[in-house]
Amino acid sequence: MQHSNALNRLDRLPVSRFHKVTLLAVAFAYFFEFADINSFATTAPKLIKLWGLTVDQVAYVTSLSFVGMFVGAIVAGSIADRWGRKRALLWTTLFFGLSSLAAVFSWDLLSLGVFRVLTSAGLSAMTVVGVVYVNEMYPSAIRGKYQAYAIAIGICGTPVTNLIASAVVPLNDWSWRLVYLWGSLGILLVLFARHLKESPRWLESRGEHAAADAVLTEIETAVAAEKGPLPEPAPPVAEAPSAKAPLRLLLQKKYLFPTLLLSVLWMTQTIGFFGYSSWAPTLLAKEGFSVEKSVFYVALTTVGAPLGCYLASLVTDRFERKWCLVAFGTVIAVCGLLYGLTFDPVLIIVFGFLVNLFERGYTALAYAYSPELFDTRSRSLGTSVSYGLGRLSNAAGPLIVAALYTGQGYRAVFYFIAGTWMVGAVALALFGARTRSEQR
């Protein structure tokens, strides 16, 4: 059976300029994803004053954004399988950048809400494609590390954006729009287009062996010119080409369990993280802190995010990812609860810093772990559906947070968030599969 042996040929490549340029491109997309994902959270306190928004209205916009994320994630799986990982990465990044640019010109809550839903769909779609792309382009032994590196660079978009927001949002009645203008700069990913290669593993899975071989030869030639002669790859394992994966494929026993487990992982991560990050500025402002201070405190806590990704890069290929996720999730639950039990500015910053550090590390680990539970045929579909269901679950999250805050008070919100993280940690501990010895 014809075979281009993409996995083994990529696995024996030393890290080279090709890998570093690919890392930089994906990290650039991640940077503006993380820059844009909390734009509404950082501008909401200002819009409450300018447009007279209520906490419930903020909750509805945030909830609908997660519906957009679900749609984007599901569509991304189909796009990546049909048109390729590279083109899907470029198209989805362009879509969320243009949608964020449109938000600059919002004239009321409805228009801003529509643009935020579209932006969120693009952000989620790009994330799914980026995760799958890195998984398929890097050697198995280091893909977790480079997934974490990409996020470590990309996550800098969160503190940078929060610091920008803390500086520009208070300036005047229109300066909040600059936050969305900043987020739209992700469209500049097109500058990397000629440096990105299509995934040979995707081409191979479609039976396009000549095209896969051509891409592999081009990559190998560049790497050999930089690093010297390459070792022989392991012999191929014959696989029949696979057609586009139908949704019903995930109902097969082989794929159903990992899809359900990862759905729980992404549901608890989404509700737990966005329950914290999307609401912290607004809730602090509601509890008596000024808009300037609430945004500034949250900006300081997000400095821990890049360090969390670096921490993940140190452990992801050294220890079993399942247990790393369990440990990180437990620490987030504890620190998030302590964050909600104090009103001391120093402790708010300290515990918020730790939440961001371990949560971003958790996300980096999850990005590496998720696609490893599927084979090439099901990888994009399984990742997109589980990630999309996770995002969809948080359509209810903001409404729950608003109801808890209104009915039970500030601290009840953080009991809920901590409990959510613990559910995810326990599920992974009991049912999570080991992947270090089964990387594909």
Side-chain angles (χ1 to χ4, degrees):
M1 183 176 292
Q2 189 180 10
H3 204 297
S4 49
N5 199 20
L7 174 60
N8 291 328
R9 288 171 70 178
L10 290 171
D11 268 0
R12 87 344 175 154
L13 297 179
V15 175
S16 64
R17 184 177 182 274
F18 158 73
H19 296 99
K20 294 172 184 176
V21 171
T22 302
L23 171 69
L24 184 62
V26 175
F28 182 87
Y30 281 165
F31 181 94
F32 283 100
E33 179 217 355
F34 288 116
D36 213 347
I37 203 164
N38 284 328
S39 294
F40 183 67
T42 58
T43 57
K46 184 73 171 185
L47 296 177
I48 287 174
K49 289 189 172 184
L50 288 177
W51 292 352
L53 305 186
T54 66
V55 170
D56 286 340
Q57 287 176 312
V58 172
Y60 284 126
V61 172
T62 306
S63 294
L64 288 173
S65 295
F66 285 96
V67 175
M69 287 185 179
F70 168 71
V71 174
I74 299 301
V75 170
S78 297
I79 292 174
D81 280 340
R82 184 179 180 90
W83 300 108
R85 316 314 198 201
K86 173 185 172 178
R87 281 187 286 181
L89 182 67
L90 292 169
W91 291 347
T92 53
T93 305
L94 184 65
F95 183 86
F96 85 67
L98 291 175
S99 298
S100 185
L101 180 63
V104 175
F105 305 99
S106 302
W107 55 92
D108 59 13
L109 180 62
L110 178 60
S111 60
L112 179 59
V114 169
F115 296 138
R116 287 309 297 168
V117 169
L118 293 175
T119 302
S120 297
L123 292 171
S124 184
M126 187 284 298
T127 299
V128 169
V129 178
V131 167
V132 172
Y133 187 65
V134 171
N135 180 274
E136 293 184 356
M137 296 300 286
Y138 285 82
S140 301
I142 62 168
R143 68 164 69 119
K145 180 186 296 185
Y146 274 79
Q147 192 76 259
Y149 285 163
I151 300 171
I153 298 169
I155 198 65
C156 293
T158 299
V160 169
T161 299
N162 285 345
L163 289 170
I164 289 174
S166 69
V168 303
V169 169
L171 291 179
N172 51 53
D173 288 350
W174 61 264
S175 57
W176 59 270
R177 300 175 186 273
L178 298 177
V179 177
Y180 298 102
L181 179 63
W182 164 251
S184 72
L185 296 182
I187 59 178
L188 297 179
L189 180 69
V190 295
L191 300 177
F192 289 93
R194 67 186 182 89
H195 299 291
L196 295 173
K197 309 297 181 187
E198 184 52 81
S199 166
R201 296 178 66 184
W202 172 75
L203 291 168
E204 185 180 73
S205 73
R206 292 169 58 87
E208 298 180 24
H209 298 289
D213 184 71
V215 175
L216 286 163
T217 301
E218 184 179 355
I219 294 171
E220 290 167 336
T221 300
V223 175
E226 179 184 349
K227 298 293 183 176
L230 301 175
E232 288 297 315
V237 176
E239 294 182 43
S242 59
K244 180 180 180 293
L247 189 60
R248 65 178 180 276
L249 178 71
L250 298 183
L251 296 178
Q252 296 179 14
K253 185 177 179 181
K254 178 181 179 181
Y255 305 117
L256 180 59
F257 185 79
T259 302
L260 292 175
L261 176 70
L262 291 174
S263 296
V264 172
L265 183 157
W266 287 117
M267 285 178 185
T268 54
Q269 185 271 351
T270 300
I271 294 174
F273 174 65
F274 287 100
Y276 168 80
S277 65
S278 296
W279 283 95
T282 297
L283 295 185
L284 286 174
K286 283 288 185 179
E287 290 301 308
F289 292 92
S290 67
V291 171
E292 293 80 3
K293 284 185 177 180
S294 65
V295 174
F296 181 64
Y297 290 162
V298 172
L300 289 179
T301 67
T302 56
V303 173
L307 298 177
C309 296
Y310 178 70
L311 176 61
S313 75
L314 298 178
V315 302
T316 184
D317 292 318
R318 185 175 180 184
F319 303 104
E320 178 57 52
R321 281 196 256 280
K322 161 188 170 174
W323 293 115
C324 293
L325 285 164
V326 171
F328 277 46
T330 302
V331 173
I332 296 165
V334 173
C335 292
L337 182 59
L338 293 174
Y339 176 98
L341 296 179
T342 181
F343 288 101
D344 183 291
V346 174
L347 293 179
I348 286 174
I349 293 169
V350 169
F351 290 124
F353 175 90
L354 291 173
V355 167
N356 275 277
L357 187 148
F358 283 97
E359 197 289 325
R360 291 293 90 180
Y362 184 98
T363 300
L365 290 164
Y367 280 2
Y369 182 73
S370 295
E372 289 179 341
L373 299 189
F374 301 99
D375 55 25
T376 303
R377 182 189 184 196
S378 62
R379 182 170 296 119
S380 181
L381 179 65
T383 302
S384 67
V385 168
S386 57
Y387 186 83
L389 288 173
R391 291 313 192 229
L392 180 62
S393 69
N394 206 40
L399 303 179
I400 295 172
V401 169
L404 284 172
Y405 178 73
T406 302
Q408 304 296 324
Y410 179 84
R411 289 176 176 170
V413 172
F414 294 91
Y415 283 116
F416 167 70
I417 292 171
T420 301
W421 279 108
M422 285 308 303
V423 168
V426 171
L428 281 166
L430 295 178
F431 306 111
R434 298 173 181 269
T435 61
R436 286 193 71 212
S437 61
E438 300 178 1
Q439 292 178 346
R440 288 170 290 187

